[in-house]
């Protein structure tokens, strides 16, 4: 059986949040939209998947940032239509291995794969 995950969400007037069993708490802001959380979850899942692969492949870097943009469909249900992920990386010791690790991460990341069933996914890596 797979690893079980659980969160608890609480909604009272003026305060919305969810928390994990590990004690992490995330406030749901009044100005944030559900897709902000989805794109944030995508970037976190994709990075953690990449990080595990990069360690195994012995790929080093100094700084990585993800710029993630999503375009929603106009027709109902308004799922994402396209997602663009631009990765900027500095201090990379092997660009070819870095790119291979990232490409593999897109195949192993569960959130990336889930979104790819409704949206066209695009990604690129820029080495600075």
């Amino acid at each position: 059986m797979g690893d079980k995950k659980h969160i608890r969400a609480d909604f009272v007037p003026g305060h919305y949040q969810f928390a994990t069993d590990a004690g992490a708490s995330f406030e749901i802001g009044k100005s944030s939209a559900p897709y902000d959380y989805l794109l944030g979850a995508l970037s976190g899942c994709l990075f953690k998947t990449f990080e595990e692969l990069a360690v195994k492949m012995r790929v080093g870097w100094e700084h990585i940032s993800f710029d993630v943009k999503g375009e929603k469909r106009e027709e109902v249900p308004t799922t994402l239509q396209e997602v663009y992920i631009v990765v900027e990386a500095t201090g990379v010791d092997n660009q070819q291995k870095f790119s291979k690790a990232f490409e593999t991460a897109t195949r192993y990341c569960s959130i990336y794969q889930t979104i790819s069933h409704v949206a066209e996914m695009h990604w690129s890596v820029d080495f600075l």
Side-chain angles (χ1 to χ4, degrees):
M1 183 176 267
D3 187 23
K4 295 183 180 182
K5 298 295 180 187
H6 172 254
I7 64 109
R8 177 181 169 88
D10 292 289
F11 307 96
V12 296
H15 184 76
Y16 313 129
Q17 74 174 37
F18 65 94
T20 68
D21 287 343
S25 180
F26 302 89
E27 186 172 347
I28 301 170
K30 292 179 181 179
S31 63
S32 51
Y35 282 91
D36 296 339
Y37 294 104
L38 179 61
L39 296 179
L42 169 61
S43 66
C45 181
L46 191 52
F47 172 75
K48 291 305 288 180
T49 305
F50 164 80
E51 183 181 43
E52 289 177 10
L53 291 164
V55 167
K56 289 178 184 175
M57 295 174 70
R58 301 178 191 257
V59 177
W61 71 89
E62 291 175 9
H63 181 235
I64 300 171
S65 64
F66 288 13
D67 186 12
V68 183
K69 296 177 182 170
E71 183 179 326
K72 289 172 50 178
R73 292 184 190 334
E74 291 187 19
E75 52 284 340
V76 175
T78 56
T79 60
L80 288 170
Q81 180 172 326
E82 292 193 69
V83 175
Y84 301 88
I85 304 164
V86 177
V87 178
E88 291 184 346
T90 60
V92 174
D93 60 7
N94 187 321
Q95 293 180 359
Q96 184 177 1
K97 284 172 71 174
F98 184 103
S99 295
K100 179 64 176 168
F102 191 81
E103 185 275 326
T104 303
T106 65
R107 290 187 282 121
Y108 288 11
C109 171
S110 59
I111 295 175
Y112 184 100
Q113 286 300 311
T114 299
I115 295 170
S116 75
H117 288 287
V118 296
E120 189 174 323
M121 306 295 281
H122 309 275
W123 61 270
S124 65
V125 177
D126 296 331
F127 297 103
L128 306 176

